[in-house]
Amino acid sequence: MPGRRRGRRLGVWSAVLLFLGVSAVVGCRVADTDGITPVPQFLAFLPWLLVPAGLGLLLALFSRWWTGVVWAVALLGLLAWFIEPYGKSGEPGGPPLVAFRVLTSNIEFGHATDALVAAVRREKPDLVFVQECEYTCDATLRQDLSTDYPHRAAQVAAGSAGSVVLSRFPLTSAEGVPGTMAMPGAVADVRGHAVRLQLAHPMPPLPGRTDLWRRELGALRDFAAEDDRTPLILAGDFNASQDHAAFRRILDTGLRDAARLTGDDRTPSWPARTAPAFGVQIDHVLLSADFSARTARFLDLPGTNHRALLTEVTLHQRR
């Protein structure tokens, strides 16, 4: 009997610890805030909090701790609610004008440059957003892809700071969004239709630097909100998922996530090497309401911990 009571007490305290950790993260999600470290990091993996919440439920049942059972059911219900896709998903009302393909890829310090070139040649996207393209990467892209992609917007730098946009369509220069890492922009002439292009690569939410991460996502949000007259494609490595409040603010400007439109909003894009099955989608192609998305495919590229995202989109006439 004493041993059974000790086992129940241990089960209760173990469940309490699990519930407190999950509650801190879920509470920030309910409050629509990203909180402070380590909450933003855990928010990225919000669906996987079902595991500790479920384990806590089993411990509470084993220990006959009925308050804990109610606590667990509440947490599981909130998690199930928040796992649902976020953001608008309506179709444009106007007739289709032009369809084309968009690819975004973080090639991790340029290590996956050759794999990216092979993927571009195989998949033939019309627009390519490349993050972490340093000097060697830029030279390779110029040498191998300049014939098929004669137009570019680039801010090349060492390490992870450089970025490039490649285009089959003519580009007009446009001011990009300032950030620690390069986020160039341009306006594409897509068969007679102007489309704003903006690459996204804000800083990741590193411990002690979440304020910078939040500010740079906020700058992308402000950019998306400043002009709703020109169709917009905002694509890249956002270092954020739909479970982050700072990313949801961008979607709240009216942008649609292409993967959300095709039903692939929970497909992980990072980390692709170390734990792909337990990953999170932080690589996105966001579209203004002028676009529909027909397909979204995540591609594995050797040399990078990010999966590339290839989408087929259609620009529609505004009503």
Side-chain angles (χ1 to χ4, degrees):
M1 244 348 222
R4 182 176 296 179
R5 284 198 296 269
R6 281 197 298 271
R8 287 178 178 174
R9 283 198 299 270
L10 179 61
V12 168
W13 281 109
S14 298
V16 166
L17 292 175
L18 290 170
F19 292 157
L20 286 174
V22 174
S23 295
V25 180
V26 172
C28 285
R29 181 63 182 85
V30 171
D32 200 25
T33 179
D34 292 319
I36 60 173
T37 299
V39 173
Q41 293 80 6
F42 279 113
L43 275 169
F45 301 94
L46 185 94
W48 294 106
L49 294 182
L50 289 168
V51 175
L55 178 59
L57 174 60
L58 293 177
L59 289 170
L61 287 169
F62 169 77
S63 305
R64 298 181 183 178
W65 179 38
W66 308 121
T67 301
V69 171
V70 174
W71 191 355
V73 170
L75 287 175
L76 289 168
L78 287 169
L79 286 168
W81 176 263
F82 290 128
I83 286 171
E84 287 296 304
Y86 183 88
K88 297 179 180 179
S89 60
E91 289 289 318
L97 297 173
V98 58
F100 54 97
R101 292 153 72 87
V102 179
L103 185 143
T104 180
S105 179
N106 180 323
I107 56 173
E108 198 170 0
F109 304 103
H111 297 323
T113 302
D114 291 340
L116 174 66
V117 169
V120 167
R121 286 174 170 167
R122 182 179 66 251
E123 303 293 346
K124 297 179 171 55
D126 299 284
L127 297 169
V128 184
F129 294 77
V130 189
Q131 303 91 61
E132 301 199 15
C133 184
E134 38 68 73
Y135 299 107
T136 303
C137 159
D138 180 61
T140 300
L141 296 184
R142 285 181 181 274
Q143 176 179 320
D144 294 351
L145 297 178
S146 59
T147 300
D148 292 328
Y149 298 87
H151 311 287
R152 60 179 11 237
Q155 295 180 30
V156 183
S160 64
S163 291
V164 176
V165 179
L166 304 177
S167 175
R168 295 185 188 272
F169 309 120
L171 297 181
T172 301
S173 62
E175 186 175 353
V177 175
T180 307
M181 297 182 286
M183 295 191 280
V187 178
D189 180 354
V190 181
R191 297 169 197 162
H193 306 283
V195 176
R196 288 191 302 161
L197 309 178
Q198 177 58 53
L199 185 144
H201 195 202
M203 285 292 288
L206 301 173
R209 306 193 73 181
T210 53
D211 286 344
L212 177 60
W213 166 75
R214 197 175 287 111
R215 282 198 305 271
E216 294 191 354
L217 283 168
L220 289 169
R221 185 266 170 204
D222 293 342
F223 170 82
E226 72 184 13
D227 176 15
D228 62 357
R229 295 166 298 175
T230 307
L232 169 64
I233 298 175
L234 175 58
D237 170 14
F238 286 77
N239 280 307
S241 75
Q242 69 172 44
D243 298 310
H244 289 113
F247 181 73
R248 293 194 300 276
R249 301 289 183 272
I250 299 175
L251 296 178
D252 289 345
T253 65
L255 295 183
R256 275 87 160 150
D257 194 321
R260 160 85 166 96
L261 297 178
T262 61
D264 300 291
D265 51 285
R266 286 293 180 183
T267 303
S269 67
W270 176 90
R273 275 198 307 265
T274 51
F278 301 98
V280 58
Q281 188 178 124
I282 61 175
D283 300 272
H284 307 273
V285 173
L286 305 187
L287 309 166
S288 60
D290 314 87
F291 290 95
S292 61
R294 193 169 75 87
T295 62
R297 289 194 293 124
F298 289 86
L299 313 177
D300 294 306
L301 302 184
T304 175
N305 214 16
H306 290 254
R307 301 174 75 193
L309 172 57
L310 176 68
T311 65
E312 184 172 345
V313 304
T314 300
L315 175 65
H316 292 253
Q317 181 176 314
R318 289 193 175 185
R319 285 189 170 180

